[in-house]
Amino acid sequence: MGAANCSPGWRRAPGYLWNSPFLLLSLASLFWALNPIVGRAARDLLSPLSLAFWRWVVALLFVLPFAWQHIVADRLVLRESWRLLAVLGVFGVGVFAFIVYWSLQLTTATNSLLLQSTMPVMTLVMPSILFGERIRPLLVASATLSFTGVVWIVTRGQPFALHLGGLNHGDLLALTGVFLYSAYATFLRKVPAIHHITLLAVLFAVGMGALAVPYLVSLADSGVATPRIEVISAVVYVGIFPSLIAYAFFNRAVVLIGSVRAGVYMNLPTVFGVFLAVLLLGERLETYHMVGAAIVVAAIFVSRRAAAGQTENRGERKP
């Protein structure tokens, strides 16, 4: 009787999630928020190269059984677009993950999360530079507002305390990772019509392959370490949640609303990261946390308002 009563709602829930860019990007941001925290915590247990390589091994192992039939069906399209997919997989997946974990050897997870807040601005600029697209002023305003909220949080309500002269090598590496992922998000629109699971499997495989040779060389130099439960837990988490699930959610959201609007949500991992630090590390929740989070949420709603206005304007046009 319980199954009969709950079944219709349960069936609608996955479809609603898959067609809601707000939920898709919010959940992806939550999973990504934990990624630098785990990477920072595991910095003395795993090398950046090892963590990046095994991240994509785990992700590929989980997705491949579901993706194989779709890969076979999409094989002709994959053969025609292999160059684009190779570039996306190497730089947007393999190299990107390595740079992120490398940066966490040299800077804090908080700094890494802060620097990720530049992603909306980069994502806004990239289509204009690469494809000559016009940037809507309201979207620029929403990205700027979102960045302001993040800076307010990490500077404890004193935004002028942030200055570029304080960036270390880890911060610069984190910025490089942001650049790579912004370019990945922009070029994602050029991917041909293939099943979303096919896209995930191919990108994971390419990213893993790009890191395989350097990883094997590192093993020859340092040898194989005895696996520990902390290492296994870290690898399983980064291989499933910020990789398989978050990438799937983000890719789907880009399909629904485009890379520009999706980029505005890329400040949410920083906000989530702060609150997770409060919950997991016992840090105090201050007023500036609440103010900064409110600014970021306001920026997201400004972005959604801009998109709604654009849709209404299109609906008013007559042929």
Side-chain angles (χ1 to χ4, degrees):
M1 181 169 57
N5 291 335
C6 298
S7 180
W10 184 88
R11 289 195 187 102
R12 286 195 298 269
Y16 177 76
L17 170 63
W18 197 240
N19 290 288
S20 171
F22 176 77
L23 287 178
L24 290 169
L25 290 167
S26 296
L27 287 173
S29 298
L30 176 61
F31 299 147
W32 277 324
L34 278 168
N35 186 45
I37 295 175
V38 172
R40 179 70 175 172
R43 69 188 185 278
D44 295 327
L45 304 175
L46 277 172
S47 70
L49 185 57
S50 298
L51 186 56
F53 173 76
W54 284 108
R55 172 181 181 177
W56 302 125
V57 170
V58 171
L60 183 61
L61 288 176
F62 271 86
V63 77
L64 198 56
F66 305 99
W68 186 251
Q69 62 177 341
H70 301 294
I71 293 174
V72 173
D74 294 329
R75 64 187 183 280
L76 296 180
V77 181
L78 293 175
R79 189 178 303 167
E80 294 174 356
S81 56
W82 68 268
R83 291 181 180 85
L84 173 61
L85 294 173
V87 171
L88 290 176
V90 170
F91 294 101
V93 177
V95 176
F96 166 73
F98 168 65
I99 287 179
V100 167
Y101 295 135
W102 185 11
S103 72
L104 290 167
Q105 298 280 323
L106 306 170
T107 192
T108 62
T110 299
N111 272 21
S112 179
L113 287 163
L114 166 63
L115 294 172
Q116 286 179 23
S117 68
T118 62
M119 195 174 292
V121 177
M122 280 196 181
T123 308
L124 282 168
V125 172
M126 282 281 184
S128 178
I129 295 176
L130 298 175
F131 305 128
E133 293 186 2
R134 177 176 171 269
I135 303 176
R136 299 191 66 208
L138 198 54
L139 288 176
V140 174
S142 68
T144 304
L145 186 62
S146 184
F147 178 74
T148 301
V150 173
V151 172
W152 192 273
I153 290 174
V154 299
T155 60
R156 301 186 177 185
Q158 301 178 15
F160 295 105
L162 179 67
H163 56 92
L164 293 178
L167 295 178
N168 62 19
H169 290 94
D171 297 328
L172 295 177
L173 284 170
L175 279 174
T176 302
V178 169
F179 175 84
L180 287 176
Y181 201 84
S182 299
Y184 163 85
T186 303
F187 275 102
L188 202 59
R189 69 180 69 180
K190 298 295 185 180
V191 173
I194 57 177
H195 198 278
H196 62 93
I197 295 182
T198 298
L199 178 61
L200 283 179
V202 170
L203 292 179
F204 292 165
V206 173
M208 180 193 70
L211 300 174
V213 173
Y215 175 70
L216 292 175
V217 171
S218 71
L219 284 185
D221 180 58
S222 59
V224 180
T226 303
R228 299 167 53 181
I229 186 63
E230 297 90 343
V231 171
I232 296 174
S233 299
V235 168
V236 169
Y237 175 80
V238 301
I240 295 177
F241 288 94
S243 304
L244 176 59
I245 298 178
Y247 265 70
F249 285 3
F250 181 79
N251 291 351
R252 172 61 178 171
V254 169
V255 171
L256 292 175
I257 62 173
S259 62
V260 172
R261 285 184 59 211
V264 176
Y265 286 75
M266 290 301 98
N267 279 331
L268 277 182
T270 305
V271 176
F272 287 153
V274 171
F275 285 98
L276 286 170
V278 172
L279 293 175
L280 301 178
L281 304 179
E283 299 179 1
R284 292 180 58 187
L285 182 62
E286 305 287 355
T287 302
Y288 63 83
H289 291 138
M290 304 299 294
V291 172
I295 295 173
V296 172
V297 171
I300 293 174
F301 280 100
V302 169
S303 173
R304 298 180 70 187
R305 177 72 178 243
Q310 184 176 2
T311 301
E312 291 175 2
N313 292 335
R314 286 176 178 173
E316 292 171 356
R317 295 194 186 101
K318 303 296 182 183

